[in-house]
Amino acid sequence: MSTPAVAASAIAREAGSLRHVFRWALPVAVILLVVPWIVPQYTAILLTYGLIMAIGALGFNLLLGYTGLLSFGHSAYFGVGAYVVALMVKYLRVGSMELFLLGAIVGSVIVTAVFGFVCVRYTRIFFGILTLALSQVLWSLAFKFFWVTGGTDGLRVPTPSLLAGLATGTGDKTDFMSHTYYYYVLVIFFACVVLMWVIVNSPFGKALQAIRDNETRAEFVGVQIWRYRFVAFLVSGVFTGLAGALWVPLNGLTTPDIMHWTFSGEIVFMTVLGGFRSFAGPIVGAIVFNYLKTYAVGYTVYWQLLLGAVLVALVVSLPTGIVGTAERLAARWKKGS
Amino acid sequence: MEVLLIHLVNALLYASVLFLIAGGLSLIYGVMRIVNLAHGNLYAFGAYVTAWAIGGVAAGAPSSLLLVLLPAGAFAAAVLGAALEPTLLRPFYKRAEEYQLLVTFGLLMILEDLLRFIWGPYPLSASELFENFGSLTIGDSLYPTYNFLVIGVGIVAAVFLWAFIYKTRFGVVLRATSQNMRMASALGVNVNRVYVQAFTLGCFMAGLGGAIVVPGQSAVLGMGVDALVLAFIVVVIGGLGSLEGALVGALIVGVVREAGIAWFPEIELAVLYLAAAIVLLVRPAGLFGRP
């Protein structure tokens, strides 16, 4: 099937895209590394939130961008990550971040496996509604079982100790969150980005894209659609669960709001804002959305109106999102010069 | 026994309101293949307009005048729907479903805040009508008479809708468009007009649901989002796009909710969502849906 020429050009393309990636990724990584020393603490903390949501959106986009499934229930996995951590604090008196992450991964694997088993048989609108309905089951449980979950009061999560007690947040919490915890999140963020990059460029990732583009053909080629979708669902949910676990010590509190389907809508929003057709889209979208929402909330009580208008305008005029539009502009500029 | 009777009437009360909301949602999906996430907000809009009309503007007027003003919310929601469809939704019919969901999600956020902007963050009540109706006795218990009006409106709406869709010329055109939009268009049906009409009718039903509910309970922010999820459960159980399904689904959800509130309040909502998920698993297109 693959002649040497085709293989060679594929390798060249791969190398080209790798070079392209490094040209962008390295400067961004360097900027992210020095940012806490340049910007005010508050901005650094906002960026930490953004990076955490970027991990979640990256996971979400494995389904939307690469598998073609629009989930309206990713708040469930984010919430599972957060609540597993909160319950570990409440019942097991655990304070180690590594154990939190482990617990969140185990918890979200279990929940996504059950939900995924049910959901991946469906596509399009039914997939969206089913994921939404299942996420609402968890929301209503978190909402109603107040003696376990604290109901709408939520559960408090104290500052954890990082790296098996090497770094503890006993001092100034703001300082801890904007520096130590920032780097902790950043390292996990880098690891997640690399992992996701490997996944989407692996044969597995290519098979997912084949399913997205043409389900029937993919099946003829021999791709077991159901199994591939299930694994994608699992990976996607675990990334989002991990984001939930990282989010909760930073926020200090988890409430059922993060399980509600409107929060899933926000995850969709950030991904589309950045552009779900590109790898970096959800990352850019999550960080930008986080700033956008924070400033909108601070600026006006009608922040929903503002964000809703942004979303509608975005879908109407820039469906490829920030990254897609930037790429198009860059290509036009290159051609022009 | 009488407790059971009261539970039954309550279940019918829920079912009537739910049918109006979910019926509209289902009608819109059946004709236009669009799931309108902002549908719940049109219900909330209807509730706010009616609360404003009979609780604010005409407060203190005799009951008969208040009753005449009751459908104000339904007409307001219909007008809003008629304005929204051509401007915001029409450009999206040819695009992927993801974009349709996103644009209606954006609309949801906008409408939610518009309600806050117009009527403020506090609940708006119109309980005067509810109180004027007084109560009657079921066995030894008092039960508000107004609730029977709501059930009556639900039944009348269901009958009218059935007659409208199966017995009128417009209904034939609507069903034809729903079954095959291209063919209907080729036969001379003005599809754009049918879409506006169907969307307006769906919004009218949602607004009517809000209008009849508001004398019994206040109009509050967030009621639209909550109602939407319940309406989703109804249409998932009954089948997206099917009005019979919306009716049966509304009855099922009404009964389960009432039973849940009475006997298993902690998991009432979870049972509803699980029921929807199970129906989707067994019959992906819902009980009455076309696969």
Side-chain angles (χ1 to χ4, degrees):
Chain A
M1 182 66 198
S2 69
T3 61
V6 171
S9 83
I11 288 165
R13 202 164 53 235
E14 195 83 327
S17 74
L18 261 183
R19 201 162 59 228
H20 176 78
V21 164
F22 277 114
R23 192 186 296 159
W24 283 102
L26 277 181
V28 171
V30 170
I31 291 172
L32 285 174
L33 278 172
V34 296
V35 148
W37 304 100
I38 307 169
V39 299
Q41 282 182 334
Y42 176 63
T43 315
I45 287 180
L46 278 186
L47 187 59
T48 319
Y49 273 109
L51 288 174
I52 290 170
M53 289 319 298
I55 297 173
L58 207 56
F60 168 79
N61 201 40
L62 183 66
L63 278 187
L64 177 61
Y66 289 94
T67 321
L69 294 170
L70 174 56
S71 158
F72 251 91
H74 260 55
S75 60
Y77 321 123
F78 191 87
V80 164
Y83 269 96
V84 163
V85 170
L87 294 175
M88 281 168 88
V89 171
K90 186 179 173 188
Y91 289 107
L92 305 175
R93 308 256 163 244
V94 177
S96 154
M97 195 63 211
E98 286 72 36
L99 287 178
F100 286 165
L101 295 181
L102 194 69
I105 289 173
V106 171
S108 49
V109 163
I110 294 170
V111 173
T112 38
V114 174
F115 284 15
F117 183 76
V118 176
C119 294
V120 292
R121 295 151 197 258
Y122 304 98
T123 54
R124 295 154 64 86
I125 202 78
F126 288 105
F127 180 82
I129 294 181
L130 195 56
T131 48
L132 192 156
L134 285 174
S135 79
Q136 286 292 100
V137 173
L138 291 188
W139 169 78
S140 68
L141 292 180
F143 184 70
K144 293 268 177 129
F145 281 84
F146 54 86
W147 56 93
V148 181
T149 63
T152 45
D153 289 347
L155 291 172
R156 290 179 60 81
V157 174
T159 311
S161 70
L162 310 179
L163 302 171
L166 210 63
T168 49
T170 42
D172 179 27
K173 188 173 175 181
T174 320
D175 190 52
F176 177 77
M177 285 302 172
S178 62
H179 286 89
T180 319
Y181 197 67
Y182 172 85
Y183 283 111
Y184 192 82
V185 169
L186 190 63
V187 169
I188 294 175
F189 169 74
F190 282 149
C192 285
V193 169
V194 171
L195 185 62
M196 189 54 91
W197 175 260
V198 170
I199 288 174
V200 299
N201 286 292
S202 69
F204 171 74
K206 298 294 178 198
L208 290 182
Q209 290 160 55
I211 293 173
R212 174 197 69 196
D213 292 338
N214 195 327
E215 198 179 323
T216 322
R217 279 193 192 177
E219 203 163 10
F220 272 126
V221 175
V223 177
Q224 277 188 306
I225 294 185
W226 185 89
R227 188 174 293 172
Y228 276 77
R229 277 196 182 131
F230 179 73
V231 175
F233 196 97
L234 208 62
V235 173
S236 173
V238 171
F239 266 68
T240 311
L242 196 65
L246 286 170
W247 174 85
V248 68
L250 181 62
N251 202 53
L253 176 77
T254 171
T255 57
D257 291 351
I258 55 158
M259 293 252 203
H260 200 257
W261 72 272
T262 44
F263 187 72
S264 303
E266 283 190 8
I267 298 178
V268 183
F269 189 161
M270 27 186 112
T271 309
V272 173
L273 178 68
F276 66 92
R277 286 292 188 211
S278 58
F279 181 80
I283 302 171
V284 174
I287 292 170
V288 171
F289 176 85
N290 196 53
Y291 281 107
L292 195 68
K293 184 177 171 181
T294 308
Y295 286 112
V297 170
Y299 178 69
T300 164
V301 286
Y302 305 110
W303 59 272
Q304 280 204 79
L305 184 77
L306 204 67
L307 289 182
V310 168
L311 181 60
V312 170
L314 198 73
V315 179
V316 170
S317 54
L318 301 173
T320 50
I322 297 171
V323 174
T325 309
E327 274 171 355
R328 210 175 58 231
L329 288 179
R332 191 183 295 168
W333 184 70
K334 217 182 222 171
K335 211 191 270 175
S337 67
Chain B
M1 189 59 214
E2 65 202 52
V3 174
L4 212 61
L5 194 64
I6 288 176
H7 280 317
L8 190 68
V9 179
N10 273 338
L12 281 175
L13 179 73
Y14 278 132
S16 298
V17 178
L18 275 175
F19 169 71
L20 285 170
I21 307 168
L25 188 71
S26 207
L27 180 79
I28 291 170
Y29 180 80
V31 177
M32 303 152 75
R33 301 283 141 185
I34 235 181
V35 172
N36 181 13
L37 291 178
H39 194 71
N41 291 78
L42 285 149
Y43 156 79
F45 182 69
Y48 267 96
V49 169
T50 293
W52 168 75
I54 70 178
V57 177
S63 283
S64 51
L65 181 66
L66 294 182
L67 269 180
V68 172
L69 281 175
L70 192 67
F75 287 104
V79 170
L80 183 61
L84 284 176
E85 196 277 337
T87 49
L88 211 54
L89 297 182
R90 192 169 291 168
F92 286 93
Y93 296 135
K94 290 207 175 71
R95 292 177 54 185
E97 270 172 345
E98 289 84 34
Y99 293 114
Q100 300 173 355
L101 280 180
L102 280 168
V103 84
T104 56
F105 186 73
L107 190 60
L108 177 157
M109 295 172 87
I110 294 173
L111 287 178
E112 189 74 26
D113 260 4
L114 273 183
L115 295 179
R116 189 202 298 268
F117 181 72
I118 300 173
W119 286 291
Y122 306 110
L124 214 60
S125 70
S127 54
E128 202 181 325
L129 192 61
F130 185 78
E131 284 154 13
N132 286 356
F133 264 81
S135 51
L136 47 80
T137 51
I138 298 180
D140 296 328
S141 326
L142 285 172
Y143 194 79
T145 317
Y146 181 81
N147 288 358
F148 288 100
L149 178 76
V150 175
I151 296 171
V153 170
I155 294 170
V156 170
V159 171
F160 258 90
L161 205 63
W162 174 82
F164 195 52
I165 289 187
Y166 289 101
K167 298 289 168 195
T168 64
R169 204 182 126 68
F170 173 73
V172 173
V173 172
L174 199 72
R175 280 181 291 145
T177 315
S178 154
Q179 275 171 17
N180 194 331
M181 184 269 273
R182 284 164 184 280
M183 184 55 99
S185 176
L187 291 172
V189 172
N190 184 344
V191 171
N192 277 345
R193 204 168 70 195
V194 174
Y195 277 7
V196 177
Q197 287 163 340
F199 195 78
T200 307
L201 183 59
C203 293
F204 178 86
M205 289 174 68
L208 187 61
I212 59 172
V213 116
V214 82
Q217 59 193 62
S218 309
V220 290
L221 290 169
M223 70 188 286
V225 176
D226 293 344
L228 178 75
V229 180
L230 283 178
F232 260 161
I233 296 175
V234 170
V235 294
V236 162
I237 290 176
L240 257 177
S242 152
L243 283 174
E244 295 88 338
L247 186 61
V248 174
L251 284 170
I252 292 174
V253 171
V255 169
V256 172
R257 250 200 99 175
E258 186 60 27
I261 288 170
W263 292 297
F264 42 91
E266 290 88 6
I267 53 167
E268 166 226 337
L269 286 167
V271 165
L272 279 177
Y273 299 124
L274 279 179
I278 290 169
V279 169
L280 259 187
L281 274 182
V282 182
R283 283 185 66 99
L287 297 178
F288 289 82
R290 289 181 311 217

